[in-house]
């Protein structure tokens, strides 16, 4: 017996969301045997983007039943059932969270139609619910409402059951352990982690680091590691005995510290970093008339570079954006337009420059500071006093040394293009 489920949640911080609508269709493999559909008063604000997406607002759910009033009905309709949902990990987590708030440990086996469809319909252009059912010619209405999505999932599940003629995939995915369910040890690990930005380190029984990652929400990301499917996820679930963490500030220090610590520690399950760092760049080329032109081309570390990119396509796209912004063909520049190119170089490039880059720190008033010499990062520090930044001698004593690889240069120049709250001090102009 299956319980085809869809939940619409309020959005908000991880594990603080509430259910605002739920639809459950009890399904015996051939027909629906019971149905429960209801708006719920989540007893918390619905996030504006969720209201826009679903059409459900705070006024609509004001007089709807609260979760505790329907909890018994949910228990009954899902009893002895495998919960089936599109992205079952999410729906099951939200449902378990609501029951935990009532002091009840709700447990069911789960089956995810995303995983099933990837196995049985591997050539689909997309495995998102809307695109997948449309590509299969399955009629769907009321998208992003609980019953509309539950009915679409039900129709998809019927098709997947029919395709699974040998029943091997269904048997392998419906495991003895519930999908998305944490062991007591994993649950304790996740609960001890902060819902904040930073690095996390997954350790084995000997304390060795298996994996280093960074996330804007450490608790949420580690929970995903423990509930995801896939070979690496299962290995991490089996081998991880402890998770430690370190808070970071902005995106730049998080990415740089992650890259540096992966390089130093070489964790078992992190991908090796490519030594070249980036494959293409936009370079400053001077023509015979003395005009400074910008050209996207394959990476080299000799010519003056405006910025570095992971592909030729992204380099060309960024250059097109600059042309549109300034109304100038920067690949066929004229003498009077050279100043624009020089200004762009000052905004986006680290090539052969001495710079201090400042990002937000880990707490109010603190700053993350990065020192670049001759285009290469030499170290970073957290400071809360301006004179520690303005005095290079003091700053250098505070720095944690970092090996400035081409990959780290790529990270820095990528974020410079985003204008990601970064403040740049050009030391050559001081």
């Amino acid at each position: 017996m299956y319980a085809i489920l869809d939940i619409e949640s309020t959005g908000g911080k991880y594990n603080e969301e509430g259910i605002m609508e739920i639809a459950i269709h009890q399904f015996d493999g051939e027909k629906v045997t019971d149905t429960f559909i209801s708006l719920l008063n989540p007893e918390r604000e619905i996030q504006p983007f969720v209201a826009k997406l679903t059409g459900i607002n705070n006024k609509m759910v004001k007089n709807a039943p609260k979760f505790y009033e329907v909890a018994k009905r949910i228990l009954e309709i899902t009893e002895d059932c495998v919960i089936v949902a599109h992205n079952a990990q999410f729906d099951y987590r939200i449902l378990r969270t609501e029951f935990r708030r009532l002091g009840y440990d709700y447990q069911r086996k789960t089956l995810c139609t995303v995983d099933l469809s990837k196995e049985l319909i591997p050539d689909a252009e997309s495995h998102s619910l809307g695109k997948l059912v449309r590509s299969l010619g399955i009629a769907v209405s009321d998208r992003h409402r609980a019953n509309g999505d539950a009915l679409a999932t039900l129709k998809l599940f019927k098709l997947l059951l029919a395709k699974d003629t040998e029943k091997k995939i269904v048997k392998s995915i419906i495991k003895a352990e519930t999908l998305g369910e944490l062991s007591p040890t994993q649950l304790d690990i996740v609960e001890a982690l902060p819902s904040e930005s930073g690095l996390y380190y997954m350790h084995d029984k000997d304390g060795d680091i298996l994996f280093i990652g960074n996330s804007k929400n450490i608790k949420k990301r580690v929970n995903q590691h423990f509930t995801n499917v896939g070979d690496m996820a299962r290995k991490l679930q089996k081998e991880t005995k402890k998770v430690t963490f370190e808070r970071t500030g902005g995106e730049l220090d998080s990415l740089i510290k992650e890259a540096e610590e992966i390089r130093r520690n070489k964790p078992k399950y992190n991908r090796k970093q490519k030594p070249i760092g980036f494959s293409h760049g936009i370079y400053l080329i001077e023509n015979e008339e003395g005009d400074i032109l910008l050209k996207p081309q394959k990476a080299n570390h000799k010519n003056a570079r405006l910025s570095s990119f992971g592909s030729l396509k992204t380099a060309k796209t960024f250059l097109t954006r600059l042309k549109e912004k300034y109304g100038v063909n920067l690949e066929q520049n004229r003498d009077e337009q050279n100043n624009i190119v020089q200004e762009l170089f000052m905004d986006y490039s680290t090539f052969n420059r001495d710079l201090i880059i400042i990002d937000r720190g880990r707490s109010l008033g603190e700053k993350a500071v990065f020192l670049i010499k001759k285009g290469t990062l030499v170290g970073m520090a957290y400071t809360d006093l301006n004179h520690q930044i303005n005095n290079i001698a003091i700053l250098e004593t505070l720095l944690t040394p970092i090996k400035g690889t081409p990959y780290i240069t790529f990270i820095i120049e990528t974020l410079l293009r985003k204008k990601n709250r970064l403040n740049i001090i050009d030391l050559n102009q001081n």
Side-chain angles (χ1 to χ4, degrees), residues 49-63:
F49 79 92
V50 174
K52 184 177 180 180
L53 178 68
T54 64
I56 302 172
N57 56 44
N58 293 306
K59 185 177 180 180
M60 288 173 62
V61 299
K62 183 178 180 181
N63 297 317

Side-chain angles (χ1 to χ4, degrees), residues 20-167:
M20 61 183 189
E21 189 176 38
I22 188 169
I24 305 172
H25 296 275
Q26 194 181 80
F27 178 61
D28 65 5
E30 295 182 2
K31 61 183 183 300
V32 173
T33 54
D34 195 2
T35 296
F36 174 67
I37 304 166
S38 181
L39 285 169
L40 296 179
N41 181 344
E43 300 184 85
R44 62 203 67 222
E45 289 295 308
I46 297 171
Q47 297 296 304
F49 79 92
V50 174
K52 184 177 180 180
L53 178 68
T54 64
I56 302 172
N57 56 44
N58 293 306
K59 185 177 180 180
M60 288 173 62
V61 299
K62 183 178 180 181
N63 297 317
K66 297 174 181 177
F67 184 80
Y68 76 86
E69 297 177 89
V70 302
K72 184 179 179 182
R73 177 74 173 111
I74 293 171
L75 282 173
E76 292 172 347
I77 196 172
T78 63
E79 189 172 5
D80 297 324
C81 291
V82 175
I83 288 179
V84 178
H86 206 74
N87 191 7
Q89 176 188 328
F90 172 81
D91 294 83
Y92 183 58
R93 176 179 67 81
I94 298 293
L95 191 55
R96 291 205 73 218
T97 298
E98 289 283 15
F99 273 108
R100 278 200 188 102
R101 290 173 184 149
L102 301 180
Y104 181 79
D105 186 19
Y106 179 84
Q107 295 190 38
R108 297 289 187 269
K109 293 180 180 179
T110 61
L111 184 62
C112 182
T113 49
V114 175
D115 298 326
L116 272 178
S117 61
K118 286 179 179 179
E119 292 282 356
L120 291 164
I121 317 173
D123 296 329
E125 183 178 342
S126 170
H127 292 95
S128 69
L129 183 61
K131 291 180 180 179
L132 183 59
V133 294
R134 278 197 298 273
S135 70
L136 296 170
I138 296 173
V140 59
S141 60
D142 291 329
R143 280 286 286 121
H144 303 299
R145 290 296 299 266
N147 194 44
D149 286 355
L151 287 173
T153 303
L154 174 61
K155 293 172 183 176
L156 173 62
F157 185 56
K158 286 180 179 179
L159 175 66
L160 294 170
L161 284 175
K163 280 183 170 290
D164 190 20
T165 54
E166 296 182 12
K167 309 303 178 192

Side-chain angles (χ1 to χ4, degrees), residues 345-377:
F345 183 81
M346 299 303 289
D347 285 341
Y348 296 115
S349 182
T350 66
F351 182 80
N352 208 29
R353 297 175 68 193
D354 296 333
L355 303 171
I356 291 176
I357 299 179
I358 304 171
D359 198 3
R360 68 179 185 271
R362 299 160 296 183
S363 58
L364 186 64
E366 184 182 71
K367 297 179 179 66
V369 184
F370 308 84
L371 179 61
I372 295 172
K373 289 187 175 182
K374 295 184 178 180
T376 299
L377 180 70

Side-chain angles (χ1 to χ4, degrees), residues 166-416:
E166 296 182 12
K167 309 303 178 192
K168 290 182 178 180
I169 295 173
V170 173
K171 289 176 183 177
S172 66
I173 293 181
I174 302 178
K175 305 188 294 277
E177 303 82 20
T178 51
L179 179 66
E181 174 65 6
L182 303 185
S183 70
T185 300
Q186 291 170 341
L187 190 59
D188 289 340
I189 287 172
V190 171
E191 287 304 311
L193 297 172
S195 299
E196 298 175 30
S197 298
L199 301 185
Y200 58 91
Y201 310 83
M202 306 181 80
H203 303 263
D204 65 14
K205 60 182 176 59
D206 298 318
D208 293 331
I209 299 174
L210 298 167
F211 184 85
I212 298 175
N214 86 81
S215 177
K216 293 181 180 179
N217 187 326
I218 296 172
K219 182 192 288 283
K220 180 178 179 180
R221 186 68 189 103
V222 172
N223 187 83
Q224 289 171 340
H225 282 299
F226 284 150
T227 55
N228 280 350
V229 296
D231 289 342
M232 192 183 87
R234 290 191 178 98
K235 289 174 183 176
L236 284 175
Q237 290 157 19
K238 181 179 179 181
E239 297 179 39
T240 300
K241 302 304 176 186
K242 185 177 179 64
V243 178
T244 58
F245 64 89
E246 180 180 342
R247 290 180 177 85
T248 54
E251 190 175 4
L252 185 56
D253 66 321
S254 183
L255 290 172
I256 287 178
K257 285 173 72 67
E258 178 190 35
E260 173 68 0
E261 296 196 16
I262 289 173
R263 184 189 69 81
R264 285 180 178 271
N265 292 283
K266 299 178 175 57
K268 185 176 179 180
Y269 293 118
N270 282 101
R271 292 180 180 176
K272 291 183 179 179
Q273 297 172 3
K274 295 180 179 179
I276 190 171
F278 51 92
S279 62
H280 290 80
I282 295 176
Y283 290 90
L284 278 66
I285 308 295
E286 186 173 349
N287 66 11
E288 293 178 357
E289 288 76 29
D291 295 326
I292 301 173
L293 314 178
L294 293 179
K295 294 287 185 182
Q297 59 188 35
K298 194 170 181 179
N300 69 74
H301 300 289
K302 295 180 180 179
N303 293 348
R305 181 187 63 252
L306 175 68
S307 196
S308 53
F309 299 84
S311 70
L312 181 61
K313 181 179 179 181
T314 53
K316 287 182 176 179
T317 298
F318 183 70
L319 188 55
T320 298
R321 212 167 78 210
L322 293 178
K323 291 177 189 176
E324 292 171 352
K325 179 179 178 180
Y326 291 97
V328 174
N329 187 342
L330 299 164
E331 293 179 89
Q332 297 178 349
N333 211 344
R334 296 192 304 273
D335 186 57
E336 63 268 22
Q337 296 164 344
N338 286 353
N339 287 339
I340 295 175
V341 176
Q342 295 289 0
E343 288 174 11
L344 291 174
F345 183 81
M346 299 303 289
D347 285 341
Y348 296 115
S349 182
T350 66
F351 182 80
N352 208 29
R353 297 175 68 193
D354 296 333
L355 303 171
I356 291 176
I357 299 179
I358 304 171
D359 198 3
R360 68 179 185 271
R362 299 160 296 183
S363 58
L364 186 64
E366 184 182 71
K367 297 179 179 66
V369 184
F370 308 84
L371 179 61
I372 295 172
K373 289 187 175 182
K374 295 184 178 180
T376 299
L377 180 70
V378 296
M380 68 160 290
Y382 293 109
T383 72
D384 53 13
L385 298 172
N386 285 335
H387 80 268
Q388 293 175 314
I389 301 172
N390 297 331
N391 188 314
I392 293 296
I394 294 176
L395 178 60
E396 288 182 331
T397 64
L398 297 174
L399 289 177
T400 298
I402 294 175
K403 184 177 180 180
T405 64
Y407 179 66
I408 285 180
T409 298
F410 173 59
I411 290 172
I412 295 170
E413 293 185 344
T414 298
L415 292 190
L416 287 176

